[in-house]
Amino acid sequence: MMFKKFYYLLLLALPQSISAQIKNPEFKEMLDSIYSHHVPLITVDSLKQLKNVYLLDTREKEEFEVSHLKHARNVGYIWFDMRDIYDIPKDATIVVYCSVGYRSEKIGEKLIKNGYKNVFNLYGSIFEWVNQGYPVYKSDGVQTSEVHTYNKKWSKWVSRGTKVF
């Protein structure tokens, strides 16, 4: 238990390592301008090291169906309902993500407000996950190169994979 708390404190104490992962300086600048920083950030690399984590995809169902992180649960953004996560313990490690991290940060704020203690927002979200070459999956579990980029404007932040909007 003590190690777990130390690990979370370490994640919070290294803000420069969080932003250092982003290779595109314009993407990094955009991300830093949209986050309110009310939810601790976690890097793609740090997420890869975690075990026993709940992944909550806060994009809409249409986006999730194109692709998502393996074992993620789609909770949506517009119609997000706390009752959909009743089975997640308040002390569980939860990582929220969306396209770039704005919507997931807002859902993360709701989770924290409702008593969840270990909530993190994936820095750069699914776009950064894909940009770093990690796999995404369709709803049937099959790996895909497709990523829903929300719209044409946002698709410029995806440097790998097949863009769908």
Side-chain angles (χ1 to χ4, degrees), residues 19-144:
S19 62
Q21 78 165 357
I22 306 292
K23 305 290 187 252
N24 179 339
E26 293 171 353
F27 186 41
K28 179 194 171 311
E29 184 178 326
M30 184 278 296
L31 292 174
D32 293 342
S33 75
I34 64 169
Y35 294 158
S36 67
H37 301 284
H38 294 140
V39 178
L41 295 168
I42 186 170
T43 65
V44 167
D45 290 338
S46 293
L47 172 57
K48 291 289 290 174
Q49 303 305 314
L50 289 180
K51 303 283 188 243
N52 302 318
V53 61
Y54 288 87
L55 289 172
L56 302 182
D57 187 316
T58 66
R59 299 173 303 152
E60 299 309 315
K61 184 178 179 184
E62 304 78 41
E63 297 168 272
F64 180 82
E65 288 177 348
V66 169
S67 66
H68 53 270
L69 277 61
K70 194 171 197 170
H71 306 298
R73 179 190 303 190
N74 183 234
V75 296
Y77 176 73
I78 294 172
W79 302 108
F80 175 75
D81 188 332
M82 291 298 295
R83 292 175 291 189
D84 291 337
I85 60 164
Y86 73 93
D87 60 313
I88 300 176
K90 298 281 184 166
D91 63 346
T93 301
I94 300 171
V95 175
V96 291
Y97 74 91
C98 59
S99 296
V100 297
Y102 177 81
R103 292 177 286 176
S104 53
E105 183 178 54
K106 299 305 173 203
I107 298 301
E109 290 170 358
K110 290 180 181 183
L111 295 173
I112 291 168
K113 182 179 176 185
N114 280 278
Y116 287 89
K117 296 171 181 32
N118 301 309
V119 179
F120 298 92
N121 187 20
L122 183 59
Y123 188 65
S125 280
I126 197 170
F127 286 10
E128 186 58 21
W129 181 268
V130 170
N131 287 345
Q132 289 196 27
Y134 291 114
V136 290
Y137 299 85
K138 292 189 163 292
S139 293
D140 61 7
V142 174
Q143 188 173 332
T144 182

